[in-house]
Amino acid sequence: MPNNFKISKTNNSRLSQLDFDNIPFGKVFSDHMFVADYIDGEWTNMEIVPFGNFEIHPACLALHYGQSIFEGMKATVDLDGRPLFFRPEKHIQRLNNSAARMCMPAVPDEMFHDAIHQLVSMDKDWIPPATGSALYIRPFMFGNGETIGVKASDTYKFIIFTGPVGPYYSKPVRLWVESEYVRAAKGGIGEAKASGNYAASLLPAQKAKAAGYDQILWLDASEFKYVQEVGTMNIFFVIDGKVITPITDGAILKGITRDTVMTILRAKGYEVEERLIEIDEIVQAHKAGTLTEVFGTGTAAVISHVADITYGEHEMVLPPMEERKVGALAKAEIEGLRNGTIADTRDWIVPAKQMVKV
Ligand code: COI
């Protein structure tokens, strides 16, 4: 194995405790995880170990100043039970873009790929076979320097753990358009998958939940005029048969599912526009009856339909599910690629290969 990982296999698999018919999102973790340290300018201590706690110094920089990033990706099985990744190279690229923005070292491509292949091959029996379910893979990195001086850390920990998941949203979501709080501003860290972006959303999300909404649709931070994203998803609108999504302007996450959906829909003949979208345009399209569909895209969410959107006094209820074709079409293609029933013509699917038998 190129990276010479040390591998310690668990003697105590928890797999038999997993109820494959009832998997809550984000609460079940597979048997193993990959860990590595960045010390003196290089990655070292690369190891696959049983999933579990680790020690952290009370002055760990990430805990105080938020130097912490993550990725979210998925592995599924095809109909013959073979584990597959979906566009893994896009995730390491994005992780390293996030790392650059947050003053953190790059994760070498080879270490990342070797780690996910070995880890997922070892824990492949944790991959739920049901359509819409997957093994969620969570790579993350944080500065673990031990000082409370404000600076970029000299040392980092990189970990990848996995866990079986069902759908993130079990039904179409109700969105609240936020006109007081912001998620991210141009020039900030909104494009990075940085932990702080999610922390910033917690209070407004709590308020939106208390008012009966599932998620927030964020507007731009300077004028509260242009649609950004949902926070757990990028957003797509279908107006007059045309598919539109906000252009990523530095404050919006460059979603990999967003890119996948645009590519699939263009190939199916849809006109897809990435551009600035005023929230007033959405209100007008809804009034005119031309807003036929709204859906969000994300690794966890895949494609989740929007039930309604509330912006001030405007409550926009979207058409019934049976009338929505576009999101459903893209979702069916993604699911087909993920279970091998649709041929992969774009090299998006990468079979997992076990590098070392253990
Ligand atoms: C993902 O889609 O993987 C995300 O990172 C969203 C997450 C916060 C659940």
Side-chain angles (χ1 to χ4, degrees):
M1 176 164 216
N3 270 306
N4 272 332
F5 302 160
K6 219 171 120 196
I7 298 177
S8 314
K9 206 174 166 186
T10 182
N11 295 321
N12 199 7
S13 172
R14 291 170 284 103
L15 184 59
S16 61
Q17 296 162 23
L18 175 63
D19 173 4
F20 276 94
D21 296 323
N22 184 16
I23 310 177
F25 186 94
K27 295 189 176 161
V28 184
F29 306 102
S30 330
D31 279 334
H32 298 93
M33 63 184 190
F34 172 81
V35 294
D37 290 308
Y38 185 83
I39 301 171
D40 290 336
E42 59 183 49
W43 288 101
T44 179
N45 301 337
M46 294 167 240
E47 199 171 355
I48 289 180
V49 293
F51 179 87
N53 296 348
F54 54 89
E55 279 195 357
I56 215 164
H57 191 278
C60 168
L61 271 168
L63 293 182
H64 299 269
Y65 307 124
Q67 202 189 14
S68 170
I69 57 171
F70 69 96
E71 263 305 306
M73 52 189 288
K74 279 178 172 170
T76 49
V77 277
D78 67 13
L79 296 183
D80 298 321
R82 277 185 299 242
L84 312 170
F85 299 107
F86 191 75
R87 309 190 77 184
E89 74 294 343
K90 288 276 172 203
H91 290 277
I92 178 65
Q93 277 164 18
R94 190 171 64 182
L95 181 79
N96 282 336
N97 289 340
S98 301
R101 177 62 183 86
M102 300 297 287
C103 240
M104 300 165 100
V107 170
D109 279 22
E110 193 187 36
M111 178 174 96
F112 177 82
H113 289 293
D114 287 355
I116 58 171
H117 278 272
Q118 183 69 20
L119 195 57
V120 167
S121 301
M122 283 172 65
D123 282 340
K124 67 177 182 323
D125 294 341
W126 286 83
I127 306 178
T131 301
S133 298
L135 189 74
Y136 188 85
I137 303 169
R138 173 54 62 94
F140 66 107
M141 190 206 314
F142 60 94
N144 63 352
E146 298 168 0
T147 169
I148 52 165
V150 179
K151 65 189 229 4
S153 185
D154 294 326
T155 56
Y156 294 86
K157 198 167 258 307
F158 176 61
I159 299 182
I160 309 175
F161 64 74
T162 72
V165 295
Y168 194 74
Y169 296 111
S170 50
K171 58 179 179 42
V173 292
R174 308 194 62 209
L175 298 183
W176 165 256
V177 182
E178 181 56 56
S179 302
E180 182 187 353
Y181 297 100
V182 296
R183 173 188 173 272
K186 270 193 208 177
I189 57 169
E191 198 171 270
K193 227 162 157 49
S195 311
N197 289 325
Y198 297 79
S201 74
L202 296 178
L203 176 66
Q206 222 170 50
K207 292 187 173 186
K209 272 225 164 78
Y213 301 96
D214 299 303
Q215 282 291 335
I216 288 174
L217 180 56
W218 298 100
L219 298 180
D220 75 277
S222 58
E223 294 179 84
F224 288 96
K225 185 171 168 189
Y226 299 103
V227 174
Q228 286 187 331
E229 57 159 277
V230 173
T232 51
M233 311 190 278
N234 293 109
I235 191 88
F236 282 75
F237 303 91
V238 183
I239 300 178
D240 264 336
K242 204 187 275 182
V243 181
I244 58 174
T245 191
I247 188 150
T248 51
D249 60 352
I252 298 176
L253 187 80
K254 286 192 169 153
I256 294 162
T257 312
R258 172 183 179 275
D259 179 74
T260 298
V261 166
M262 290 195 298
T263 307
I264 289 174
L265 292 178
R266 283 184 177 133
K268 301 249 177 238
Y270 283 94
E271 202 176 323
V272 180
E273 284 182 356
E274 291 175 84
R275 61 169 169 83
L276 287 175
I277 305 170
E278 286 188 27
I279 186 67
D280 282 339
E281 176 182 351
I282 303 304
V283 173
Q284 294 316 321
H286 182 260
K287 276 195 184 141
T290 52
L291 177 66
T292 52
E293 220 172 294
V294 182
F295 56 87
T297 64
T299 299
V302 190
I303 291 180
S304 294
H305 288 284
V306 172
D308 55 73
I309 306 175
T310 298
Y311 174 50
E313 78 273 18
H314 305 287
E315 195 190 335
M316 298 172 263
V317 177
L318 278 303
M321 258 348 109
E322 325 65 89
E323 293 174 23
R324 306 200 197 180
K325 303 276 179 288
V326 184
L329 190 76
K331 187 173 183 181
E333 175 126 351
I334 293 174
E335 284 172 347
L337 288 163
R338 283 199 158 137
N339 66 19
T341 54
I342 292 181
D344 171 31
T345 54
R346 302 180 182 96
D347 290 337
W348 282 352
I349 298 295
V350 178
K353 46 181 190 303
Q354 183 152 10
M355 338 271 296
V356 179
K357 296 266 180 273
V358 280

